[in-house]
């Protein structure tokens, strides 16, 4: 484990660190600045990334250092919910051979939640628990700040020195400064939806570059579904992939995650009663409606409705449009066919 250190000649607070490990199910404890910190457990999961290999290579390039004076970048992974942004970071961490820690950001995340949280123990003493982010800093691992644009500015401000050349955080609660290991890497995922905060520019300038995670092509989408649902029948897989690809063409936000959940429910319904199994198409249609809503049954109508809602092909209105329909003969701006023939 890399021990954080400080240069005596600089103005950063010095820290000392020692570690002790208990039983396998007990958290590891390290000491920084005379304060014992209980570390979080790493996240362990399969790290497969299917398709869009260029994205994986771009993320790995962000984490490279080309000189002793160089520092890694902290990129933003942006895309619709369910396209695999977190899975991309998991795969990159696995490729790097580094322990992975994930912090789920929310609207009520506080700075102490991100850094060090005091917990009252049974003996009445205060124990300090390091967050997944701080644990990754200490252990030299990867931290994914998941859905980072759901977090408020006050919490982001506590991370400003971490994501520039200083690479440290200050815990007001524990009264210590924690320096990041040289092996520490991070990425921030962000959903493209309206239920998010506006991230201040001074934070965005630290979260570079922006990597756009798009929808997979047909072959990759089939491979993704087969990887997650190896027990699904080819007919069900084909129905789901065709649906997803059509939704991508129509600029709708149905993702591989939606397809996986849809298929899981359909398969469970078919297996629910072996004596009277539901037909493939009936089970799939039911799963489509229950998982994605009634509107998903007719993608073209759904896309047209959304387009009108967003004003995709709206025509600027004049004063007369407030009182007359476009095809009303009394509309002063209406061009009659007879008038066109005279021109």
């Amino acid at each position: 484990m890399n021990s954080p250190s400080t240069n005596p000649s600089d103005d950063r607070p010095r820290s000392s660190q020692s570690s002790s490990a208990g039983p396998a199910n007990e958290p590891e404890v390290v000491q920084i600045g005379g304060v014992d910190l209980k570390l979080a457990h790493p996240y362990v999961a399969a790290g497969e990334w299917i398709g869009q290999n260029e994205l994986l290579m771009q993320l790995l390039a962000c984490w490279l250092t080309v000189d002793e004076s160089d520092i890694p970048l902290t990129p933003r992974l942006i895309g619709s919910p369910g396209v695999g942004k977190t899975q991309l970071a998991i795969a990159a961490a696995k490729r790097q051979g580094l322990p992975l820690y994930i912090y789920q950001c929310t609207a009520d995340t506080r700075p102490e939640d991100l850094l060090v949280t005091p917990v009252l123990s049974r003996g009445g003493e205060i124990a300090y628990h390091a967050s997944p982010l701080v644990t990754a800093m200490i252990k030299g691992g990867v931290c994914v700040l998941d859905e980072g644009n759901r977090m408020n500015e006050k919490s982001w401000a506590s991370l400003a020195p971490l994501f520039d050349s200083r690479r440290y955080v200050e815990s007001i609660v524990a009264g210590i400064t924690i320096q990041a290991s040289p092996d520490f890497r991070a990425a921030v995922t962000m959903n493209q939806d309206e239920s998010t905060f506006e991230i201040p520019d001074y934070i965005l300038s630290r979260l570079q570059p922006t990597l756009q995670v798009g929808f997979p092509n047909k072959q990759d989408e089939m491979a993704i579904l087969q990887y997650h649902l190896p027990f699904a029948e080819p007919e069900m897989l084909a129905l789901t992939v065709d649906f997803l690809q059509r939704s991508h063409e129509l600029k709708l936000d149905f993702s591989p995650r939606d397809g996986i959940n849809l298929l899981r429910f359909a398969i469970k319904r078919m297996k629910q009663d072996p004596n009277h199994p539901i037909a493939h198409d009936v089970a799939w249609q039911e799963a489509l409606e229950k998982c994605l809503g009634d509107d998903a049954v007719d993608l073209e109508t759904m896309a047209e409705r959304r387009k009108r809602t967003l004003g995709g092909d709206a025509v600027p209105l004049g004063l007369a449009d407030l009182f007359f329909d476009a095809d009303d003969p009394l509309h002063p701006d209406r061009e009659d066919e007879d008038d066109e023939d005279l021109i």
Side-chain angles (χ1 to χ4, degrees), residues 48-52 55 76-89 91 146-147 189-193 211-217 220-221 224-225 228 244-245 247-248 251-261:
E48 292 295 327
W49 175 252
I50 299 171
Q52 303 185 71
L55 266 176
R76 285 177 281 164
L77 308 181
I78 295 182
S80 299
V83 295
K85 301 180 295 296
T86 306
Q87 186 64 28
L88 173 61
D146 208 11
E147 301 188 36
T189 71
M190 296 185 182
N191 284 335
Q192 292 177 319
D193 58 37
L211 303 182
Q212 189 78 34
V213 183
F215 292 110
N217 60 34
D220 291 341
E221 200 144 45
I224 291 169
L225 295 186
H228 289 281
L244 291 173
Q245 287 296 306
S247 74
H248 303 337
K251 309 299 182 184
L252 298 173
D253 294 330
F254 296 125
S255 66
R257 181 195 294 162
D258 294 320
I260 291 170
N261 290 332

Side-chain angles (χ1 to χ4, degrees), residues 9 42 83 94 98 108 129-130 202 212 237 244-245 253 341:
S9 63
V83 295
K94 183 178 180 182
L98 296 174
D108 57 357
H129 290 241
Y202 74 93
Q212 189 78 34
L237 289 167
L244 291 173
Q245 287 296 306
D253 294 330
D341 294 339

